[in-house]
């Protein structure tokens, strides 16, 4: 198995067809608490991933789940980050699709929690959403706005010259798939205003 990434929460490996995400132990936590948290978060991620696939979103197929790890399909394709860097015009079309996918998640009260251009894969089946480790359920406009805000910040940091048109494409797709898009966008403005206020102070 080849290691793909190792973060603060998990180690991700792949053999080319299967990806295994193993949650790492935290030595600073009490062993029993650490074990309980890792089990809860692993179960939650597997449940959200299955639900996302059930509602029709392109996500990796869940193969197996244990107390501390999940095994999923290795999605073929390129990270959206790489596509956007090589072909901005193609990225616009894909980002519109991303907006539609986010709207689908939000329609079913699922917040991804970590929407970045490295957690979106341009695959033959379309844009595939990966890494639901921080996902949660909510119906709040605030949480939906924050989900979009995270992606917007990712686009601004990675592609400052195209960020505005890139995010406009996301919003177009989101509006197509959401009946409350205008309310979410209004809340997004509030989220951004609070962020600017914090930066000034």
């Amino acid at each position: 198995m080849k290691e793909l990434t190792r973060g603060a929460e998990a180690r991700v490996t792949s053999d080319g067809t299967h990806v295994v995400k193993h949650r790492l132990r935290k030595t600073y936590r009490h062993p029993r608490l650490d074990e309980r948290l890792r089990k809860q978060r692993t179960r939650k991620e597997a449940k959200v991933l299955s639900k996302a696939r059930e509602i029709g979103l392109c996500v990796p197929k869940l193969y197996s789940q244990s107390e501390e790890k999940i095994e999923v399909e290795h999605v073929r394709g390129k990270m959206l980050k790489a596509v956007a860097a090589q072909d901005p015009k193609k990225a616009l079309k894909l980002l519109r699709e991303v907006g539609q996918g986010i709207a689908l998640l939000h329609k079913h009260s699922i917040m991804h929690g970590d929407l970045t251009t490295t957690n979106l894969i341009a695959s033959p089946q379309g844009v595939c959403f990966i890494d639901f480790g921080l996902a949660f359920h909510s119906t709040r406009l605030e949480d939906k706005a924050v989900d979009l805000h995270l992606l917007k910040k990712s686009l601004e940091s990675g592609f400052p010259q195209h960020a505005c048109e890139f995010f406009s494409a996301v919003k177009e797709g989101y509006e197509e798939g959401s009946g409350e898009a205008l309310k979410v966008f209004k809340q997004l403005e509030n989220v951004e205003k609070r962020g600017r206020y914090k930066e000034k102070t």
Side-chain angles (χ1 to χ4, degrees):
M1 297 288 278
K2 178 183 178 182
E3 183 169 291
L4 299 180
T5 61
R6 179 187 288 265
E9 292 294 324
R11 176 174 179 260
V12 181
T13 59
S14 174
D15 63 1
T17 58
H18 296 66
V19 171
V20 177
K21 181 176 182 179
H22 190 283
R23 290 193 178 276
L24 302 173
R25 289 184 172 84
K26 300 292 185 180
T27 55
Y28 60 81
R29 289 196 295 236
H30 187 281
R32 289 183 181 175
L33 173 63
D34 181 62
E35 182 179 10
R36 185 170 75 249
L37 287 174
R38 284 185 290 119
K39 287 180 180 178
Q40 288 176 347
R41 290 171 182 173
T42 301
R43 285 196 297 268
K44 184 178 181 180
E45 182 172 2
K47 187 175 181 180
V48 172
L49 190 61
S50 295
K51 179 62 177 179
R53 188 174 181 85
E54 181 184 310
I55 64 176
L57 189 71
C58 181
V59 297
K61 182 179 180 181
L62 178 66
Y63 289 133
S64 67
Q65 168 199 351
S66 64
E67 292 182 345
E68 299 177 357
K69 67 182 180 180
I70 59 173
E71 184 176 355
V72 301
E73 169 191 11
H74 186 123
V75 177
R76 301 291 180 183
K78 287 185 177 181
M79 286 183 182
L80 184 55
K81 181 177 182 179
V83 176
Q86 296 170 358
D87 191 343
K89 287 185 178 180
K90 183 177 180 180
L92 284 172
K93 181 180 178 181
L94 293 173
L95 285 162
R96 190 181 185 117
E97 187 178 334
V98 168
Q100 294 169 342
I102 298 171
L104 180 62
L105 283 174
H106 289 180
K107 182 179 180 181
H108 290 83
S109 305
I110 300 172
M111 308 299 112
H112 184 278
D114 193 19
L115 284 169
T116 68
T117 53
T118 57
N119 284 336
L120 297 162
I121 305 293
S123 76
Q125 292 74 41
V127 178
C128 196
F129 289 61
I130 65 171
D131 195 352
F132 284 76
L134 297 178
F136 62 98
H137 287 85
S138 174
T139 59
R140 299 173 65 235
L141 289 175
E142 173 78 5
D143 292 327
K144 295 174 183 180
V146 170
D147 229 15
L148 288 171
H149 179 65
L150 290 172
L151 180 56
K152 185 177 182 180
K153 296 298 286 185
S154 175
L155 293 171
E156 288 174 345
S157 63
F159 311 95
Q161 71 276 29
H162 296 294
C164 186
E165 59 180 331
F166 278 178
F167 193 65
S168 290
V170 173
K171 290 176 69 176
E172 287 174 9
Y174 190 89
E175 194 166 4
E176 290 173 8
S178 172
E180 57 178 10
L182 296 181
K183 292 180 180 179
V184 175
F185 296 160
K186 183 64 178 178
Q187 190 62 34
L188 176 59
E189 291 178 10
N190 294 332
V191 169
E192 292 172 341
K193 286 177 183 177
R194 292 200 302 270
R196 287 194 291 269
Y197 176 78
K198 288 180 180 179
E199 288 177 1
K200 288 181 180 179
T201 57

